[in-house]
Amino acid sequence: MKNNKIVIYIGLVATGLLLGWLLFSGSSKQEKVHNHDEVAETNQMWTCSMHPQIMQPEPGDCPICGMDLIPAEAGADGLLADQFKLTENAMALANIQTTVVGKDLTADGIVKLSGKIVENEETNVVQVSYFSGRIERLNISFTGEKVRKGQLLASIYSPELYAAQQELITAASLKESQPTLYKAVRNKLKLWKLSENQINQIETSGKVIENFPVHATVSGTVTKKLVEQGDYIKQGQALFNITNLNTVWANFDVYENQIQQFKKGQEINVISNAYPNKDFKGKVDFIDPVLNTNTRTIDLRVVLNNKEALFKPGMFVTAEIKSGKANSNETITIPASAVLWTGERSVVYIKTSPNEPVFELKEVTLGSKIGANYEVLEGLSSGDEIVTNGTFTVDAAAQLQGKKSMMNKHGGKTMTGHEGHSGMEKNNSSTENERSGINKRVTVSEKFQEQLKAVFNDYIKLKDALVKDDSEGSSKTASSLLSSLSRVDMKLLKGEAHNHWMSLMKEIKPSATSISKTSDINEQRNHFKHLTTQLITAVQLFGVNEKVYVEFCPMADNNNGAYWLSREKKVVNPYFGSAMITCGEVKQVIE
């Protein structure tokens, strides 16, 4: 009996141990699973499909556009250290586009050139007034209007012509007794381009024509309207530019090392993006004998038949010409929109995977700028796929993920876009400037810095005018900036400093000139973006003896992003003005 009780006790203990093991081991597993989920949930980040630079640890609304945040990708497994990935949704919403790089000379000996359609200068006619007066009626309403030879363009009241007609009527009654006077009066009217029929009509009717008609001397299209109704004009003043667009010129840029491959009369195949399935044949009509020393190119011209009005002046075209000999120095060109330039480095973003939105920064060495393209001397190979639209958005994503970027040469997390909107603290110390890889200061005289500061002062006034949406003020301050620019003494600079300034001048002056000549605020802001890029480099290189803030808005320029300079840390946006005046953040501080 006693032995039976011992067996029973041992059985109960064993059963209890078994049940305890089952219960506690299951609980431990469940807790481990629970903890894993909790960690995963804690590490989940949320981003905006429109603004991938936004990263928040919890779901909500985008602080920029208000869209619902979406889960960010948890990792980038399989990517190299400098590579990063964007979502397909972000690619589409930011309109990120890529282009495969090709060489100008293909394997079968065909040279590819980039060019532009322009008016045929041989058919350009300036319609002028042969007498002074006031435009009583203008029959041309807008540029682009077609006119035919003999069509009435305007009616002008001319006191001089009115008096000359009265002289004719008087002289006609004396032509028998004073034939010399009569002939002189008629010749005077002929000098004002009155026809024999018009003179005879005035003489026969004895009535003076008060408002004299101006007729088109040629048929064509009005490309410039230079006067308005009610204007007072002088003798010989231009009224309209009329161009016959039945033929147009296609002007192409030819590199210096390609000149020997072309000759007049050579057959050419012209291709336009507007008509991708259609080729246009022509022949080389003119090769400029003078080399452009700035771009190291010459102009090659082709005359194209345009009776169907397919070609529009300003349209970009490409050409394919069979080369007489192979060229070992094949040239790669890329669109200017693909290049991010800090002044010290030129970079592009390569799409490293043909099927995945994976990108990597690549430094390139640029040659001459040819129209809207850059010659690439080093850094790219034929077949590389590069970002050509939305480059700033890709750069913002690189900074966000701690990868190499335009302003961050060595990688690591940096501030981008609109972090200020979500209350994140900005890091604008001098250490940040050094880490961002800004230009090394070039030593120049104080006198030059003072002259550059005058340019910078006008730039600040221009920025303030754009903030106020004041297009007229922007135009005036741009003119003032050009005046300050002309007073900069380049003799104060030597060697590398002189070369830097000359390079910057070539970009600053055209941008400021374009702003001064237009009253369109959107066009002014577009040129202001290019002006700013060069002026940032100038201030970084030479200094203006004061603290300058470099500020950035990723939504400017159709979400491509744009910079501007300011004396104040406070963000006041010149690209949106009153619409979004506080949009942006400080990216650098230049001491």
Side-chain angles (χ1 to χ4, degrees):
M1 178 66 94
K2 187 176 180 180
N3 290 336
N4 290 338
K5 286 182 178 182
I6 293 172
V7 172
I8 292 172
Y9 288 149
I10 293 173
L12 289 173
V13 170
T15 303
L17 290 173
L18 178 61
L19 289 173
W21 180 79
L22 290 173
L23 288 172
F24 285 105
S25 64
S27 174
S28 177
K29 287 181 180 179
Q30 288 175 0
E31 187 164 343
K32 285 181 182 178
V33 173
H34 173 74
N35 289 339
H36 175 77
D37 293 340
E38 195 170 33
V39 170
E41 188 175 345
T42 302
N43 291 336
Q44 177 65 62
M45 298 295 289
W46 298 77
T47 187
C48 175
S49 56
M50 178 64 81
H51 303 96
Q53 66 268 29
I54 297 298
M55 277 288 178
Q56 294 187 0
E58 56 187 20
D61 296 334
C62 174
I64 301 175
C65 63
M67 292 178 62
D68 291 337
L69 297 180
I70 60 175
E73 290 191 353
D77 295 338
L79 300 184
L80 299 179
D82 294 329
Q83 295 178 347
F84 59 96
K85 190 174 184 180
L86 295 179
T87 65
E88 294 289 350
N89 199 24
M91 289 276 293
L93 290 172
N95 193 25
I96 295 170
Q97 299 175 12
T98 61
T99 300
V100 176
V101 173
K103 293 183 178 179
D104 286 339
L105 181 63
T106 58
D108 55 1
I110 295 180
V111 181
K112 292 184 178 181
L113 303 176
S114 298
K116 190 177 183 180
I117 297 296
V118 298
E119 301 161 4
N120 184 341
E121 293 179 7
E122 294 177 342
T123 65
N124 282 355
V125 172
V126 179
Q127 188 79 44
V128 301
S129 173
Y130 296 103
F131 42 83
S132 59
R134 182 180 68 247
I135 299 177
E136 293 295 317
R137 182 174 179 80
L138 195 64
N139 294 335
I140 299 299
S141 303
F142 53 87
T143 57
E145 189 171 344
K146 291 186 177 180
V147 298
R148 63 184 184 282
K149 185 176 181 179
Q151 179 179 332
L152 179 64
L153 301 179
S155 298
I156 301 175
Y157 170 73
S158 172
E160 291 180 316
L161 190 55
Y162 190 92
Q165 291 179 80
Q166 288 182 321
E167 289 178 10
L168 174 63
I169 294 171
T170 303
S173 62
L174 302 173
K175 65 181 177 180
E176 297 295 335
S177 58
Q178 299 188 39
T180 304
L181 174 62
Y182 170 71
K183 186 176 180 180
V185 172
R186 286 184 66 95
N187 287 338
K188 182 179 179 180
L189 292 173
K190 287 180 182 178
L191 291 175
W192 282 331
K193 299 299 180 181
L194 271 68
S195 66
E196 288 284 350
N197 290 336
Q198 288 174 320
I199 296 172
N200 291 336
Q201 180 184 352
I202 296 167
E203 182 180 336
T204 303
S205 65
K207 294 181 180 180
V208 174
I209 302 174
E210 291 189 6
N211 297 327
F212 215 84
V214 176
H215 297 96
T217 56
V218 294
S219 298
T221 301
V222 177
T223 54
K224 286 186 181 179
K225 178 169 168 264
L226 305 172
V227 292
E228 298 293 341
Q229 187 166 300
D231 286 355
Y232 284 85
I233 58 173
K234 297 179 180 179
Q235 182 178 0
Q237 182 174 337
L239 306 177
F240 311 98
N241 282 7
I242 300 176
T243 301
N244 189 329
L245 296 177
N246 285 338
T247 60
V248 293
W249 287 351
N251 285 344
F252 298 96
D253 296 309
V254 177
Y255 291 102
E256 186 176 4
N257 61 2
Q258 296 175 323
I259 294 175
Q260 61 179 333
Q261 302 178 51
F262 304 100
K263 61 182 179 179
K264 189 174 180 179
Q266 198 170 6
E267 289 189 354
I268 187 170
N269 191 38
V270 178
I271 304 167
S272 168
N273 288 336
Y275 315 104
N277 298 322
K278 190 171 184 179
D279 293 344
F280 302 89
K281 303 295 182 182
K283 292 185 178 181
V284 176
D285 179 70
F286 172 77
I287 299 176
D288 197 331
V290 179
L291 181 77
N292 186 322
T293 55
N294 292 328
T295 62
R296 310 304 302 174
T297 62
I298 61 168
D299 288 335
L300 181 147
R301 179 193 305 157
V302 177
V303 179
L304 296 174
N305 186 312
N306 194 37
K307 290 183 178 179
E308 298 180 11
L310 297 178
F311 294 108
K312 317 295 181 185
M315 182 182 289
F316 288 109
V317 290
T318 56
E320 293 183 352
I321 306 178
K322 288 186 177 180
S323 172
K325 59 183 291 187
N327 181 10
S328 58
N329 298 318
E330 300 171 351
T331 305
I332 292 177
T333 58
I334 60 175
S337 61
V339 182
L340 296 176
W341 187 53
T342 68
E344 187 181 65
R345 300 184 302 138
S346 300
V347 300
V348 298
Y349 278 96
I350 293 181
K351 187 169 181 282
T352 59
S353 172
N355 302 317
E356 295 288 334
V358 177
F359 300 94
E360 182 180 346
L361 180 137
K362 186 82 170 180
E363 290 193 27
V364 294
T365 303
L366 300 179
S368 302
K369 185 176 183 182
I370 313 298
N373 297 316
Y374 276 110
E375 177 187 9
V376 179
L377 303 179
E378 293 180 5
L380 290 179
S381 303
S382 181
D384 287 341
E385 187 174 356
I386 62 172
V387 177
T388 53
N389 190 68
T391 318
F392 271 104
T393 302
V394 176
D395 186 72
Q399 293 186 49
L400 177 69
Q401 299 184 37
K403 305 298 182 178
K404 290 182 180 180
S405 61
M406 175 178 66
M407 304 304 290
N408 190 359
K409 189 173 184 178
H410 304 292
K413 293 288 184 179
T414 59
M415 303 287 289
T416 67
H418 276 256
E419 289 86 349
H421 288 280
S422 57
M424 294 179 68
E425 183 180 358
K426 300 177 181 69
N427 179 7
N428 300 312
S429 64
S430 58
T431 302
E432 177 70 15
N433 288 342
E434 294 173 2
R435 192 156 57 91
S436 298
I438 64 172
N439 296 314
K440 297 179 181 178
R441 183 62 54 84
V442 176
T443 303
V444 294
S445 66
E446 290 185 6
K447 187 174 182 180
F448 176 81
Q449 285 185 322
E450 290 174 2
Q451 294 173 352
L452 177 59
K453 189 168 183 177
V455 176
F456 175 71
N457 290 340
D458 287 326
Y459 169 89
I460 293 298
K461 293 176 183 177
L462 171 60
K463 183 263 297 181
D464 292 341
L466 292 173
V467 168
K468 297 174 183 176
D469 302 314
D470 181 5
S471 61
E472 183 177 352
S474 300
S475 180
K476 289 180 180 178
T477 51
S479 297
S480 177
L481 189 151
L482 285 168
S483 298
S484 298
L485 200 62
S486 67
R487 290 191 288 271
V488 175
D489 187 1
M490 289 179 286
K491 295 179 182 178
L492 297 172
L493 300 174
K494 303 296 181 182
E496 182 185 6
H498 183 271
N499 293 335
H500 277 309
W501 178 248
M502 290 297 294
S503 176
L504 292 169
M505 276 278 288
K506 292 175 186 177
E507 301 290 341
I508 293 174
K509 190 172 181 180
S511 298
T513 301
S514 298
I515 295 172
S516 69
K517 290 184 177 181
T518 181
S519 59
D520 186 330
I521 191 75
N522 292 324
E523 189 174 346
Q524 287 176 338
R525 283 167 171 155
N526 183 46
H527 293 299
F528 178 76
K529 173 188 173 184
H530 298 291
L531 171 64
T532 295
T533 301
Q534 308 308 319
L535 205 58
I536 288 175
T537 303
V539 174
Q540 289 174 336
L541 282 172
F542 307 115
V544 289
N545 290 323
E546 67 173 294
K547 182 181 289 186
V548 179
Y549 295 92
V550 181
E551 299 175 346
F552 176 78
C553 173
M555 295 183 69
D557 190 27
N558 295 322
N559 287 322
N560 287 317
Y563 291 86
W564 70 92
L565 294 172
S566 177
R567 282 196 170 99
E568 301 174 348
K569 188 174 182 180
K570 179 182 178 182
V571 171
V572 185
N573 193 312
Y575 294 104
F576 291 111
S578 57
M580 285 194 296
I581 200 166
T582 60
C583 179
E585 71 148 1
V586 175
K587 295 293 290 180
Q588 291 180 20
V589 180
I590 305 174
E591 300 289 348

